[in-house]
């Protein structure tokens, strides 16, 4: 990111704390997308006997990302709204509706990336499986928390991008007993 800062996804202050999780390559940047697809294709060619790949495709758990130049320009072109102008967590119906649209846009872009990676892998290894790791609690979260990771794994499954899911959660926590049964 020091040599190519445009490849990093940013928060509303045009940075990324990256203290615990590290920094994030922008899933909205075509250069990042192309590089990831090429890397998966290279892997599939090099290891044709591998049974599959596992993706962990998400944004930060701790801060809202999606303000990098590629993300902002794409959203401005699509909706004529700059995400920097959205105010998160107001509770005001019209603003919350705009924030939800922005979340869905980010979700769809990350979903397309998962689809592109899976298609690239399957194109070279048609019998291979594409799995993803996801938070089992994702669908219990409010929009504000979903807007952090944008890891909408059920959407990925519905779109046919994945063969299987690996759900993560602290299953031994009593509050997750019903979640375990549902999952």
């Amino acid at each position: 990111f020091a040599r190519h800062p445009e490849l990093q996804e940013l928060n509303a202050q045009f940075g990324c704390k990256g203290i615990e999780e590290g920094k994030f390559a922008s899933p909205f940047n075509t250069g990042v997308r192309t590089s990831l697809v090429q890397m998966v294709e290279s892997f599939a060619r090099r290891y044709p006997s591998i049974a599959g790949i596992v993706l962990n495709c998400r944004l930060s758990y701790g801060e809202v990302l999606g303000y990098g130049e590629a993300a902002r320009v794409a959203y401005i072109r699509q909706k004529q709204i700059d995400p920097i102008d959205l105010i998160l967590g107001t509770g005001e119906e019209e603003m919350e509706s705009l924030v939800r649209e922005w979340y869905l846009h980010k979700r769809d872009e990350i979903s397309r990336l998962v689809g592109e990676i899976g298609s690239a892998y399957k194109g070279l290894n048609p019998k291979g499986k594409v799995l993803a790791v996801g938070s089992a609690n994702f669908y219990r979260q409010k929009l504000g928390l979903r807007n952090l990771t944008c890891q909408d794994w059920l959407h990925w499954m519905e779109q046919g991008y994945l063969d299987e899911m690996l759900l993560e959660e602290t299953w031994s926590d009593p509050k997750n007993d019903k979640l375990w049964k549902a999952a």
Side-chain angles (χ1 to χ4, degrees):
F1 293 137
R3 289 190 3 217
H4 299 283
E6 72 279 5
L7 300 179
Q8 180 181 333
E9 195 46 58
L10 304 174
N11 61 25
Q13 292 74 40
F14 306 114
C16 181
K17 294 175 189 150
I19 296 168
E20 293 177 20
E21 296 179 282
K23 298 186 178 198
F24 291 80
S26 176
F28 312 104
N29 183 298
T30 55
V32 168
R33 294 171 88 96
T34 300
S35 294
L36 289 172
V37 167
Q38 289 173 346
M39 184 173 56
V40 167
E41 288 173 336
S42 175
F43 176 82
R45 282 187 196 96
R46 189 168 183 183
Y47 303 103
S49 63
I50 296 292
I53 59 172
V54 178
L55 307 175
N56 190 352
C57 200
R58 65 169 177 83
L59 293 174
S60 173
Y61 287 122
E63 61 183 329
V64 177
L65 301 178
Y67 298 98
E69 184 176 347
R72 288 179 62 211
V73 167
Y75 197 67
I76 291 168
R77 285 184 180 148
Q78 183 181 13
K79 295 287 188 175
Q80 290 74 50
I81 298 172
D82 188 337
I84 204 72
D85 295 331
L86 299 175
I87 302 169
L88 308 179
T90 65
E92 194 271 317
E93 190 175 326
E94 185 176 344
M95 184 59 70
E96 291 301 312
S97 177
L98 293 171
V99 170
R100 178 164 181 69
E101 284 184 22
W102 181 52
Y103 159 71
L104 292 172
H105 169 78
K106 292 190 321 179
R107 178 204 70 177
D108 290 346
E109 286 300 308
I110 293 172
S111 295
R112 275 193 276 288
L113 176 59
V114 169
E116 290 167 13
I117 292 170
S119 292
Y121 179 75
K122 290 253 190 188
L124 294 166
N125 187 349
K127 294 181 181 178
K129 299 283 185 188
V130 178
L131 281 73
V133 176
S135 170
N137 273 334
F138 184 79
Y139 298 98
R140 292 178 64 194
Q141 297 171 346
K142 292 182 179 182
L143 176 62
L145 290 175
R146 288 185 190 186
N147 200 9
L148 292 174
T149 65
C150 297
Q151 194 178 38
D152 196 335
W153 52 264
L154 184 56
H155 183 70
W156 304 343
M157 293 291 291
E158 289 172 341
Q159 297 299 310
Y161 298 150
L162 304 174
D163 297 303
E164 297 179 31
M165 275 303 305
L166 173 63
L167 299 178
E168 289 186 312
E169 193 49 60
T170 308
W171 298 113
S172 61
D173 187 333
K175 74 177 184 195
N176 289 323
D177 188 43
K178 290 180 183 175
L179 180 65
W180 167 251
K181 290 174 182 153

